[in-house]
Amino acid sequence: MAAAAAAAQEAEPACLQSFELYESASRFYIFGTNADKTVWRLLKIDRSETSELDIEECSTVYTQAEYLELVSGLDEDHRSTGGVKFVTKFYGIIGFIKFLGPFYMLIITEQRKIGEIFDHPVYQVTKTSMIELANSKSRSSFLNPRDENRYKKILNTLDLRKDFFFSYSYPIMRGLQKNLSDPQEGWSLYESTFVWNEFLTRQIRNCLRSTLWTVALVYGFFKQDKFAISGKDVMFTLIARRSRHYAGTRYLKRGVNEKGRVANDVETEQIVYEAVPMPTEVSSVVQNRGSIPLFWSQDTSKLNIKPDIILHEKDKNYEATKLHFENLRGRYGNPIIIFNLIKTRERRESMLRREFDKAIRIINKLFSEENQLRFLHWDLHKNSQGEPTNVLDVLLKVAFRALTLTEFFYCQVAPPTGSETAPHWPALLHSHDLYFCDENSNSDISQEDISGSSDSSGNGTTEDKAETSELPQLKPPIFQKGVLRTNCIDCLDRTNVAQYAYGLAALGHQLHALGCVESPELGLGAPAAHHLMHFYERMGDTLAVQYSGSAAHNKIFSAKRGHLKLFIRSQEFFRTLQRHYSNACIDANKQAAINLFLGYFQPKQGSPALWELESSSEEHNNGSFGHTSDSIKRVNSDGSILSVSNTSISGCSGCHNELLTAAQPDVSTELQPSKMESDLVYENEITSPIESKMSNSRYTPTLPHDHIHDVPSSQLDPCNSGDSNFLDLEWLSNSGNSSDERSLAVSTPDAHLSTENVISDIIPETMENQVAGVQAQKLPEQFVQWVNDGDSFWF
């Protein structure tokens, strides 16, 4: 029997995908099985122990028939206390959480397939359940049931049915390049920056030393579709992964914390391969967005669409800023390219712009030449005042230049070498599936070669060459090294437009590498560019709702499609109102739920409750409740609806305490296993140290430099707050898009409005006229629904 069990365990697949929950008076029993239901495992949870999580995994592997017999036997064993009852079927354990009383188990009860990566399905969570582990006897001993129920309601404010996704067999929390060059599985995957239930699964992982029963949830965006390019069907996947470090809502999480983690830190990856049963080539590229890495905040306690920006002078040496860029280098390698889009003419943003520029220059003096930060300060709002769509041409030029520095990932992979009837791509695209070659060799390269310790010898055996002869002509791989980091104030609206431009520049090179197009440059009018815009617009809306409560301001995208200015202005107007309401009345509850889910706040008997603590943005940004900084700079807003007042928002005095129902990777060039983040318990965002170090790729492809010229940083004015140390600004400014080269019609005042806060320059009378104008148009019901729900309207 033991030998048979051992053989079954050897043959067992790497993951369980379906679970059945049974309960008795003293225990929960969870049976897990694989996709084919050929093997079954058993997990037991004690219900009588409430202070600790008591979990036991049975080492026996059961067949289908043995599983049915075991259920019958358990029912007989518990006959005296009511037997064993079936509770529910589910698809994975999200984790366990404890407030003041018993433990609760969070499970996925419904899921929906949203795509796949090389036959590895990706699922979205569509329904969850919270199961109390205590039985009736142990439950009676708990105190403060009112507080317990309130914590449960707060946690439910975080809607897991929106934008949480996972895969049983593909490490979706990591970039494709990292999965291929440095494959990892199991425990280490949960320590990724982008696994949101790392805290919730920590106890069961520590107890079982296994991740067999849990799923790793990623929060962000996933969309996949195929489209035809030059007669070929291409599968395109866009993934956004939101960091769990320093996570939260717009005005409650700003800037950087002491560990170098920034708010709204999102990694975006686009994957491209031919949509055939067994693709042999694949490409991906990654970019990053994140809040300006300084200590700054905004206060939402006043009726002000554009609150004051408060710059905290607690880090005069920019240690946290420096640590942030070291973290980025650990994740992506060199170079780190900073694309800063904030304004030069507005008082609030210009202060941050000057401080950010100063921080970069000081930090660069401390870094070696190899680690120098590349930067470009470019006011997108100012440069889009003429014709907003022309700004995309300029952004594309910046994107092409950045792409010459970061490059992108491309490789060929070997088809399955096992049985001809194997139904799937290899379980994971391990490094031995990659072909690294030079011009005179068709041979495989070993893992040792992949790590850079030796070169291809070209001495492949005849059998090896025969196996590869059926592949397309072998090409050398390309590795992305470094990353483009884009930011504006919120890292939502302007940032999304710039990320689209970089994605379009990269897509041309990806398609060219795959042999789908002859030229690596795609124009803005190409069909693929329109498909890509739709993807990035959807991603921008999703990320904006998560962070700010409304869809993104897509003024440039809408103008590019030729939409009427009246509709664009109405859309921007209502989204700004929706965003302001969410920030003022909903975000505090969402932030509290995030703090509970991520383990930043852990309730304790005798300690202040979560709702008894202040929820100001200043305290959230300081990283610890109840602490404030004495040294600050405050820049007043010039876009208030009403004058600044010390009173709370009218009608919202109870917003922070009244519970509302929310309606709302790492790409590494290092080819050796990397050190993972520490497994520390963090409260109020005590985050982990630098994740890993990177090495440069051995291969550097050549990208076109037709219209791009470098300017040595020594020629730049060090006192100028708007410049670049890697791009010719004179060439950039001569792109035919500056505001002085274009006359603005009096009938188009919206050309002067921000892509992020269009109400900022509208007086109250103008707002009233806007509302009256919209009402007079008798717009369709879909438009009204969009205003209420925040979904995208212009598609």
Side-chain angles (χ1 to χ4, degrees):
M1 180 67 180
Q9 281 181 313
E10 270 187 20
E12 184 185 357
C15 61
L16 303 177
Q17 299 188 20
S18 181
F19 306 85
E20 294 183 359
L21 178 64
Y22 293 83
E23 69 170 338
S24 69
S26 59
R27 281 184 172 179
F28 278 112
Y29 295 96
I30 300 176
F31 291 92
T33 184
N34 61 337
D36 299 328
K37 299 187 183 300
T38 55
V39 295
W40 292 77
R41 299 293 299 266
L42 173 61
L43 190 69
K44 305 174 184 178
I45 304 176
D46 187 4
R47 303 185 65 187
S48 60
E49 177 58 53
T50 59
S51 60
E52 295 182 1
L53 194 59
D54 188 352
I55 302 178
E56 177 186 353
E57 182 182 32
C58 183
S59 60
T60 305
V61 178
Y62 303 95
T63 64
Q64 173 83 8
E66 291 170 336
Y67 144 72
L68 295 174
E69 291 178 5
L70 182 58
V71 173
S72 179
L74 289 173
D75 183 62
E76 188 64 32
D77 293 342
H78 292 276
R79 182 66 61 188
S80 61
T81 56
V84 171
K85 299 177 182 178
F86 175 77
V87 179
T88 185
K89 180 179 179 179
F90 65 100
Y91 300 95
I93 298 176
I94 297 174
F96 296 84
I97 191 168
K98 178 181 173 67
F99 305 121
L100 301 174
F103 276 93
Y104 299 88
M105 178 172 63
L106 278 65
I107 57 176
I108 300 170
T109 53
E110 290 183 12
Q111 63 185 17
R112 179 174 64 91
K113 183 179 175 180
I114 55 177
E116 60 182 33
I117 299 178
F118 293 111
D119 287 338
H120 295 271
V122 178
Y123 299 94
Q124 178 182 339
V125 178
T126 56
K127 190 175 182 181
T128 63
S129 182
M130 183 188 294
I131 307 295
E132 182 180 333
L133 299 187
N135 55 27
S136 57
K137 182 178 179 181
S138 57
R139 187 184 303 116
S140 61
S141 62
F142 300 140
L143 302 175
N144 298 327
R146 175 182 291 184
D147 288 353
E148 185 78 8
N149 291 333
R150 190 166 183 178
Y151 277 120
K152 290 164 64 176
K153 290 181 180 179
I154 290 175
L155 185 63
N156 287 333
T157 304
L158 182 63
D159 193 348
L160 299 179
R161 301 168 301 173
K162 290 187 176 180
D163 311 323
F164 281 89
F165 53 92
F166 66 96
S167 175
Y168 294 110
S169 53
Y170 179 79
I172 193 68
M173 73 294 293
R174 306 175 84 227
L176 181 67
Q177 175 174 313
K178 205 164 192 178
N179 283 333
L180 288 169
S181 61
D182 179 23
Q184 295 180 0
E185 58 185 20
W187 188 280
S188 60
L189 296 179
Y190 281 77
E191 297 173 340
S192 164
T193 297
F194 305 108
V195 174
W196 268 55
N197 58 334
E198 185 278 332
F199 167 75
L200 295 180
T201 60
R202 192 180 299 165
Q203 292 202 51
I204 185 174
R205 289 185 290 116
N206 287 336
C207 182
L208 303 180
R209 311 305 300 176
S210 168
T211 60
L212 194 61
W213 301 86
T214 57
V215 296
L217 292 185
V218 177
Y219 185 38
F221 176 83
F222 183 98
K223 181 174 174 59
Q224 184 177 74
D225 201 1
K226 63 180 179 181
F227 47 86
I229 299 290
S230 302
K232 292 183 178 180
D233 285 337
V234 174
M235 185 64 73
F236 181 84
T237 306
L238 186 63
I239 307 172
R241 307 175 179 96
R242 184 175 292 282
S243 171
R244 62 182 166 89
H245 299 297
Y246 205 46
T249 55
R250 185 186 183 197
Y251 286 142
L252 296 178
K253 289 294 180 183
R254 288 296 213 193
V256 70
N257 69 4
E258 290 83 354
K259 298 295 181 180
R261 306 292 187 179
V262 295
N264 202 18
D265 181 357
V266 180
E267 173 183 280
T268 299
E269 179 181 29
Q270 63 183 48
I271 302 173
V272 184
Y273 55 85
E274 190 174 355
V276 295
M278 293 183 181
T280 57
E281 301 173 280
V282 64
S283 177
S284 72
V285 70
V286 165
Q287 53 183 318
N288 177 266
R289 69 174 73 185
S291 189
I292 297 172
L294 301 171
F295 287 98
W296 64 282
S297 61
Q298 287 179 279
D299 191 354
T300 59
S301 62
K302 304 178 179 69
L303 184 53
N304 188 347
I305 293 277
K306 299 179 70 175
D308 301 348
I309 289 178
I310 304 170
L311 183 61
H312 304 263
E313 297 182 336
K314 58 185 295 184
D315 186 21
K316 296 183 178 180
N317 295 324
Y318 305 107
E319 291 296 332
T321 308
K322 177 173 176 286
L323 184 56
H324 168 68
F325 290 116
E326 289 174 344
N327 285 339
L328 283 185
R329 186 178 299 113
R331 281 155 59 176
Y332 304 109
N334 281 323
I336 303 298
I337 304 174
I338 303 163
F339 192 13
N340 178 28
L341 303 173
I342 61 178
K343 301 173 187 175
T344 55
R345 297 180 178 177
E346 195 216 44
R347 288 179 296 171
R348 304 177 323 131
E349 294 194 15
S350 60
M351 175 191 67
L352 274 180
R353 181 188 177 101
R354 288 191 299 271
E355 192 72 13
F356 192 20
D357 181 75
K358 177 182 176 183
I360 293 171
R361 295 180 186 278
I362 290 177
I363 291 171
N364 267 343
K365 292 180 181 179
L366 304 176
F367 284 158
S368 64
E369 183 176 352
E370 178 187 6
N371 293 335
Q372 289 288 296
L373 302 173
R374 312 293 182 92
F375 62 88
L376 170 61
H377 301 292
W378 192 72
D379 187 342
L380 185 148
H381 172 65
K382 171 186 172 184
N383 287 280
S384 62
Q385 286 185 359
E387 182 62 40
T389 57
N390 285 350
V391 77
L392 291 173
D393 293 317
V394 183
L395 291 173
L396 261 181
K397 291 185 177 182
V398 176
F400 276 118
R401 175 54 183 150
L403 199 62
T404 64
L405 300 176
T406 64
E407 305 169 54
F408 60 98
F409 176 60
Y410 163 83
C411 75
Q412 289 176 291
V413 291
T417 56
S419 168
E420 293 182 0
T421 61
H424 297 294
W425 194 263
L428 190 68
L429 299 178
H430 292 294
S431 55
H432 60 262
D433 293 317
L434 297 171
Y435 282 83
F436 290 77
C437 61
D438 56 32
E439 295 178 357
N440 302 316
S441 171
N442 288 332
S443 64
D444 302 23
I445 297 281
S446 66
Q447 175 65 35
E448 186 175 294
D449 296 322
I450 293 172
S451 65
S453 57
S454 64
D455 295 326
S456 175
S457 64
N459 296 325
T461 65
T462 304
E463 184 177 351
D464 292 334
K465 294 179 180 180
E467 289 178 4
T468 62
S469 62
E470 298 180 0
L471 289 174
Q473 181 181 0
L474 295 178
K475 306 173 187 177
I478 304 171
F479 290 100
Q480 178 173 348
K481 53 184 190 300
V483 73
L484 175 65
R485 181 201 191 275
T486 307
N487 73 266
C488 48
I489 288 294
D490 293 328
C491 301
L492 297 177
D493 312 317
R494 289 169 283 182
T495 294
N496 204 59
V497 175
Q499 287 206 329
Y500 160 71
Y502 183 77
L504 181 59
L507 180 61
H509 286 84
Q510 290 177 290
L511 294 174
H512 182 257
L514 295 175
C516 298
V517 295
E518 294 183 0
S519 170
E521 295 194 22
L522 285 178
L524 289 167
H530 291 287
H531 284 297
L532 191 72
M533 182 181 292
H534 175 71
F535 271 70
Y536 272 85
E537 190 169 7
R538 291 295 298 271
M539 180 187 73
D541 287 340
T542 300
L543 296 178
V545 169
Q546 293 168 6
Y547 185 59
S548 72
S550 82
H553 292 292
N554 294 317
K555 175 181 176 181
I556 292 178
F557 289 155
S558 297
K560 176 64 180 174
R561 291 194 177 96
H563 293 144
L564 297 177
K565 291 183 179 181
L566 174 62
F567 287 109
I568 296 175
R569 293 166 63 185
S570 300
Q571 178 172 264
E572 302 295 282
F573 174 76
F574 282 111
R575 287 187 178 180
T576 300
L577 289 181
Q578 188 178 44
R579 185 173 293 186
H580 177 63
Y581 170 77
S582 178
N583 299 157
C585 295
I586 298 177
D587 281 3
N589 295 287
K590 290 172 62 177
Q591 184 67 60
I594 291 172
N595 289 341
L596 283 176
F597 189 86
L598 296 177
Y600 298 156
F601 180 87
Q602 299 175 41
K604 295 179 181 179
Q605 291 284 0
S607 298
L610 179 59
W611 49 88
E612 295 174 349
L613 302 172
E614 293 293 334
S615 299
S616 71
S617 60
E618 186 174 322
E619 289 171 348
H620 277 283
N621 282 280
N622 285 332
S624 60
F625 293 103
H627 172 75
T628 57
S629 173
D630 295 326
S631 180
I632 62 174
K633 289 182 182 178
R634 179 184 294 268
V635 174
N636 293 329
S637 168
D638 54 0
S640 307
I641 292 181
L642 301 179
S643 59
V644 175
S645 169
N646 292 326
T647 58
S648 299
I649 298 175
S650 176
C652 293
S653 59
C655 287
H656 289 190
N657 292 328
E658 180 181 351
L659 291 171
L660 301 176
T661 302
Q664 323 296 120
D666 307 356
V667 169
S668 166
T669 58
E670 181 182 45
L671 303 179
Q672 295 287 349
S674 59
K675 296 181 180 179
M676 301 307 298
E677 298 172 335
S678 61
D679 194 33
L680 299 176
V681 176
Y682 36 77
E683 184 174 347
N684 301 316
E685 188 44 80
I686 306 300
T687 54
S688 55
I690 301 174
E691 297 169 2
S692 59
K693 296 181 179 179
M694 308 293 160
S695 64
N696 290 329
S697 169
R698 294 187 290 126
Y699 177 82
T700 305
T702 302
L703 296 177
H705 290 74
D706 298 342
H707 46 268
I708 299 173
H709 309 283
D710 291 341
V711 174
S713 58
S714 59
Q715 297 180 16
L716 297 174
D717 179 6
C719 298
N720 186 356
S721 180
D723 58 18
S724 174
N725 65 352
F726 77 98
L727 198 65
D728 187 339
L729 291 182
E730 183 177 354
W731 158 78
L732 197 62
S733 64
N734 291 332
S735 300
N737 189 60
S738 64
S739 57
D740 358 352
E741 297 178 358
R742 298 189 175 273
S743 59
L744 304 180
V746 178
S747 61
T748 58
D750 62 307
H752 294 279
L753 299 182
S754 166
T755 60
E756 205 157 38
N757 290 305
V758 296
I759 292 188
S760 60
D761 302 313
I762 302 177
I763 60 176
E765 292 80 7
T766 305
M767 293 171 57
E768 293 175 2
N769 293 335
Q770 289 268 19
V771 174
V774 171
Q775 291 174 344
Q777 297 175 53
K778 298 182 180 179
L779 295 172
E781 183 180 350
Q782 296 95 313
F783 183 89
V784 179
Q785 183 178 359
W786 161 79
V787 172
N788 293 328
D789 297 340
D791 295 329
S792 298
F793 186 71
W794 302 114
F795 292 131

PDB file of all heavy atoms in Angstrom, residues 148 166 270 375 428 490 549 595 646 666 750:
ATOM      1  N   GLU A 148     -16.755  42.025  16.100  1.00  0.00           N
ATOM      2  CA  GLU A 148     -16.410  40.935  15.177  1.00  0.00           C
ATOM      3  C   GLU A 148     -17.192  41.088  13.866  1.00  0.00           C
ATOM      4  O   GLU A 148     -16.621  40.969  12.771  1.00  0.00           O
ATOM      5  CB  GLU A 148     -16.732  39.585  15.829  1.00  0.00           C
ATOM      6  CG  GLU A 148     -16.310  38.377  15.012  1.00  0.00           C
ATOM      7  CD  GLU A 148     -14.822  38.094  15.094  1.00  0.00           C
ATOM      8  OE1 GLU A 148     -14.124  38.754  15.904  1.00  0.00           O
ATOM      9  OE2 GLU A 148     -14.339  37.220  14.351  1.00  0.00           O
ATOM     10  N   PHE A 166      -6.041  34.350 -11.189  1.00  0.00           N
ATOM     11  CA  PHE A 166      -5.039  33.366 -10.779  1.00  0.00           C
ATOM     12  C   PHE A 166      -4.932  32.275 -11.826  1.00  0.00           C
ATOM     13  O   PHE A 166      -5.766  32.165 -12.741  1.00  0.00           O
ATOM     14  CB  PHE A 166      -5.409  32.751  -9.422  1.00  0.00           C
ATOM     15  CG  PHE A 166      -6.662  31.914  -9.453  1.00  0.00           C
ATOM     16  CD1 PHE A 166      -6.597  30.526  -9.606  1.00  0.00           C
ATOM     17  CD2 PHE A 166      -7.921  32.496  -9.332  1.00  0.00           C
ATOM     18  CE1 PHE A 166      -7.745  29.756  -9.648  1.00  0.00           C
ATOM     19  CE2 PHE A 166      -9.077  31.727  -9.364  1.00  0.00           C
ATOM     20  CZ  PHE A 166      -8.989  30.357  -9.530  1.00  0.00           C
ATOM     21  N   GLN A 270       2.925  42.924 -21.715  1.00  0.00           N
ATOM     22  CA  GLN A 270       2.194  42.506 -22.909  1.00  0.00           C
ATOM     23  C   GLN A 270       2.942  41.344 -23.558  1.00  0.00           C
ATOM     24  O   GLN A 270       4.147  41.403 -23.787  1.00  0.00           O
ATOM     25  CB  GLN A 270       1.967  43.659 -23.875  1.00  0.00           C
ATOM     26  CG  GLN A 270       3.182  44.310 -24.491  1.00  0.00           C
ATOM     27  CD  GLN A 270       2.797  45.487 -25.382  1.00  0.00           C
ATOM     28  OE1 GLN A 270       2.016  46.349 -24.997  1.00  0.00           O
ATOM     29  NE2 GLN A 270       3.355  45.532 -26.586  1.00  0.00           N
ATOM     30  N   PHE A 375      16.388  59.920 -17.057  1.00  0.00           N
ATOM     31  CA  PHE A 375      15.135  60.614 -16.753  1.00  0.00           C
ATOM     32  C   PHE A 375      14.739  61.555 -17.870  1.00  0.00           C
ATOM     33  O   PHE A 375      15.571  62.052 -18.631  1.00  0.00           O
ATOM     34  CB  PHE A 375      15.238  61.388 -15.428  1.00  0.00           C
ATOM     35  CG  PHE A 375      16.280  62.480 -15.431  1.00  0.00           C
ATOM     36  CD1 PHE A 375      15.968  63.767 -15.857  1.00  0.00           C
ATOM     37  CD2 PHE A 375      17.570  62.229 -14.984  1.00  0.00           C
ATOM     38  CE1 PHE A 375      16.926  64.767 -15.855  1.00  0.00           C
ATOM     39  CE2 PHE A 375      18.527  63.227 -14.974  1.00  0.00           C
ATOM     40  CZ  PHE A 375      18.204  64.499 -15.422  1.00  0.00           C
ATOM     41  N   LEU A 428       5.526  23.729 -17.712  1.00  0.00           N
ATOM     42  CA  LEU A 428       6.080  25.064 -17.526  1.00  0.00           C
ATOM     43  C   LEU A 428       7.204  25.210 -18.523  1.00  0.00           C
ATOM     44  O   LEU A 428       7.944  24.254 -18.776  1.00  0.00           O
ATOM     45  CB  LEU A 428       6.598  25.254 -16.098  1.00  0.00           C
ATOM     46  CG  LEU A 428       6.983  26.679 -15.730  1.00  0.00           C
ATOM     47  CD1 LEU A 428       5.753  27.564 -15.682  1.00  0.00           C
ATOM     48  CD2 LEU A 428       7.667  26.708 -14.378  1.00  0.00           C
ATOM     49  N   ASP A 490      -1.375  61.071 -10.309  1.00  0.00           N
ATOM     50  CA  ASP A 490      -2.102  59.880  -9.874  1.00  0.00           C
ATOM     51  C   ASP A 490      -1.579  58.601 -10.502  1.00  0.00           C
ATOM     52  O   ASP A 490      -1.942  57.509 -10.074  1.00  0.00           O
ATOM     53  CB  ASP A 490      -3.588  60.004 -10.228  1.00  0.00           C
ATOM     54  CG  ASP A 490      -4.288  61.096  -9.441  1.00  0.00           C
ATOM     55  OD1 ASP A 490      -3.883  61.329  -8.291  1.00  0.00           O
ATOM     56  OD2 ASP A 490      -5.219  61.722  -9.977  1.00  0.00           O
ATOM     57  N   GLY A 549     -11.612  55.310  -7.914  1.00  0.00           N
ATOM     58  CA  GLY A 549     -13.059  55.239  -7.823  1.00  0.00           C
ATOM     59  C   GLY A 549     -13.809  55.575  -9.087  1.00  0.00           C
ATOM     60  O   GLY A 549     -15.036  55.466  -9.120  1.00  0.00           O
ATOM     61  N   ASN A 595      -6.259  47.144   4.283  1.00  0.00           N
ATOM     62  CA  ASN A 595      -5.346  46.958   5.417  1.00  0.00           C
ATOM     63  C   ASN A 595      -5.597  45.639   6.135  1.00  0.00           C
ATOM     64  O   ASN A 595      -4.661  44.983   6.596  1.00  0.00           O
ATOM     65  CB  ASN A 595      -5.480  48.130   6.394  1.00  0.00           C
ATOM     66  CG  ASN A 595      -4.898  49.413   5.836  1.00  0.00           C
ATOM     67  OD1 ASN A 595      -4.102  49.392   4.899  1.00  0.00           O
ATOM     68  ND2 ASN A 595      -5.304  50.543   6.399  1.00  0.00           N
ATOM     69  N   ASN A 646     -11.972  74.620   7.135  1.00  0.00           N
ATOM     70  CA  ASN A 646     -11.577  73.599   8.086  1.00  0.00           C
ATOM     71  C   ASN A 646     -12.699  72.633   8.421  1.00  0.00           C
ATOM     72  O   ASN A 646     -12.511  71.691   9.172  1.00  0.00           O
ATOM     73  CB  ASN A 646     -11.079  74.253   9.384  1.00  0.00           C
ATOM     74  CG  ASN A 646      -9.784  74.977   9.182  1.00  0.00           C
ATOM     75  OD1 ASN A 646      -8.953  74.551   8.378  1.00  0.00           O
ATOM     76  ND2 ASN A 646      -9.595  76.086   9.887  1.00  0.00           N
ATOM     77  N   ASP A 666       7.524  40.368 -12.293  1.00  0.00           N
ATOM     78  CA  ASP A 666       8.909  40.823 -12.198  1.00  0.00           C
ATOM     79  C   ASP A 666       9.687  40.321 -13.411  1.00  0.00           C
ATOM     80  O   ASP A 666       9.934  39.144 -13.580  1.00  0.00           O
ATOM     81  CB  ASP A 666       9.591  40.276 -10.964  1.00  0.00           C
ATOM     82  CG  ASP A 666       8.803  40.578  -9.717  1.00  0.00           C
ATOM     83  OD1 ASP A 666       7.782  41.263  -9.791  1.00  0.00           O
ATOM     84  OD2 ASP A 666       9.214  40.124  -8.662  1.00  0.00           O
ATOM     85  N   ASP A 750     -11.879  73.296 -23.972  1.00  0.00           N
ATOM     86  CA  ASP A 750     -11.431  72.066 -23.327  1.00  0.00           C
ATOM     87  C   ASP A 750     -10.002  71.721 -23.695  1.00  0.00           C
ATOM     88  O   ASP A 750      -9.381  70.885 -23.070  1.00  0.00           O
ATOM     89  CB  ASP A 750     -12.337  70.895 -23.715  1.00  0.00           C
ATOM     90  CG  ASP A 750     -12.310  70.629 -25.203  1.00  0.00           C
ATOM     91  OD1 ASP A 750     -12.546  71.583 -25.959  1.00  0.00           O
ATOM     92  OD2 ASP A 750     -12.055  69.474 -25.589  1.00  0.00           O
TER      93      ASP A 750
END
